[in-house]
Structure formats: structure tokens, C-alpha cells
Amino acid sequence: MIRVVVVDDEALVRTGFTHILNAAQGIEVVAAVSGGQAVRAVGDLRPDVVLLDIRMPDVDGLTVLGELRRRPDPPVVAMLTTFDTDEYVATALRSGAAGFLLKDTDPEQLPVLVAALADGDTVLSATVTRTVVDGYLDSGAAEPAAARLTERLTARERAVLLLMAEGLANSDIGDRLHLSVGTVKGHVSTVFGKLEVSSRVQAALIAERAGLLRPSRNGDGP
């Protein structure tokens, strides 16, 4: 059972997300609270996934994210937003958010996306992905620090990193590389350790900064 905490300042949003997710098999919303109650609720209930509104009047969503990420056993946190080009996208992702969900996400897709988050996958809308890659990241020369980090990777780990950066789930990476899901999860964990990151989004940002994604984006490589 995937345990979820929904954090939003609007009661209607909390109620809607709770109803949709509780109707899905294998998912339980254990709390739906406003921003001021979020840290305590997570500490008491230890959810697997937190859906956190990025803009709240009582407490800033980025502040809550920072507090949750500092926990010794942080949950997976995905930010909720009304805008797929929210200016806080890059800050949240670099602070450890596992993705972004639009509040008007298709109800049929919402449980699928939450399950993907719980499985360690990154969830971003197509527009958010373009915002991160094209708008917020430096498109100039590769950063030496990022390049040094990626030099720690083996050829197989680098292949896993590139597929993660494409947004592929563990099962899809396994299909591409002819590996079991368990083996892929092991490689993902090793990649995180070597790159000194804690999420797929952060790993993808390192790959981008190191220049690993640019050949494929420019059409010069596979």
C-alpha cells in the first residue's frame, strides 16, 4: 500500500486528490492537510509520497520541501502547481523534489503517476521538462564539476543515467538494457551515490550540466 500525504491550502484540492487516490487500488491518502501541518503530519504518519503545493499562503512550499528533505528518512515529494511553467520549478527540483504534478492532471493518470513516484521514477509534464532543460539550465559549455562527477560512472551506469534523463521508468530501462528491474534499481542507487544526488531529476541535471544530453538534443547522436 502506497501511503500518501496531500498538502494544499485549498480544501477542494485536498478533497479531490484524496477521493481520486483512495479510489485507486494500492494507494491510501493517510492525511490531507494545509502547509502549516505538513511537517508534523509527515513525521507522525511516515508516508511514502507527499504531494506538496508549491504556493501556499500560510507557509512556502519550498520551505516545507527543505524541511522534509532534511529528515533522516525523507519521503518522495512531488510539487503541485497550477502553472506548468512555474518560476519555482528549477529551485524545487534542485532542492530534491521528485517531480511536478499539475493540479488539473487527468484523474485517471493521477494514481499512475503517484505509483511511479513511489517506485522512484521522476514525474514531469512535457512543458515542465522543456522549462527545466531549455529555460533554467545553462545551455553553454559543460560544467567541469558535473563532468568530474559523471567520470565516476561505469559505462553501464552512464547508460542507465542517460535513460533516466529521458524519463524512463526502471522497467523500461531494464527492457532497453536487457536487465532485471532489481539490477536497474541497484544501478540507479549507485549512480545517485556517485553523483552525490538524491533524486532522478537531480541526476538528470548533472547529466545535462556535464554535456551528456546535448548530442542527442542537437541530433548529433543516438
Side-chain angles (χ1 to χ4, degrees):
M1 183 69 69
I2 300 170
R3 294 164 55 82
V4 179
V5 167
V6 177
V7 182
D8 197 285
D9 65 303
E10 297 182 22
L12 184 60
V13 173
R14 296 196 300 267
T15 300
F17 271 62
T18 299
H19 176 75
I20 293 168
L21 293 174
N22 280 343
Q25 185 174 4
I27 299 177
E28 178 187 8
V29 175
V30 295
V33 299
S34 62
Q37 302 169 296
V39 174
R40 180 173 181 178
V42 170
D44 290 344
L45 298 170
R46 299 178 179 273
D48 304 297
V49 176
V50 175
L51 303 181
L52 173 62
D53 187 6
I54 198 168
R55 296 170 180 256
M56 295 179 288
D58 57 345
V59 61
D60 179 69
L62 294 176
T63 299
V64 175
L65 172 63
E67 293 188 37
L68 295 182
R69 294 301 303 169
R70 284 191 291 272
R71 291 182 56 83
D73 55 344
V76 174
V77 181
M79 310 305 291
L80 298 175
T81 181
T82 308
F83 311 102
D84 54 8
T85 55
D86 196 300
E87 67 255 36
Y88 297 132
V89 166
T91 301
L93 296 179
R94 287 173 179 146
S95 298
F100 262 74
L101 291 178
L102 298 179
K103 292 186 182 182
D104 61 356
T105 295
D106 185 337
E108 293 185 0
Q109 285 298 309
L110 183 60
V112 176
L113 297 175
V114 168
L117 287 164
D119 194 40
D121 292 338
T122 297
V123 172
L124 295 173
S125 74
T127 307
V128 168
T129 300
R130 289 194 298 271
T131 299
V132 173
V133 174
D134 297 329
Y136 287 95
L137 294 179
D138 179 14
S139 60
E143 297 180 14
R148 285 193 294 271
L149 287 172
T150 58
E151 287 172 0
R152 301 175 178 179
L153 304 177
T154 65
R156 177 51 56 86
E157 290 162 358
R158 184 173 295 210
V160 170
L161 171 61
L162 294 179
L163 294 176
M164 277 197 292
E166 290 182 22
L168 270 64
N170 288 340
S171 58
D172 296 324
I173 294 174
D175 290 342
R176 289 275 194 96
L177 300 179
H178 307 291
L179 300 172
S180 69
V181 172
T183 299
V184 172
K185 287 183 177 181
H187 283 312
V188 170
S189 178
T190 300
V191 168
F192 283 1
K194 289 184 177 181
L195 297 185
E196 302 175 10
V197 299
S198 59
S199 76
R200 289 174 176 246
V201 171
Q202 291 173 326
L205 294 180
I206 293 291
E208 167 66 22
R209 291 173 186 153
L212 299 184
L213 307 186
R214 288 171 196 144
S216 61
R217 287 172 59 196
N218 295 333
D220 299 328

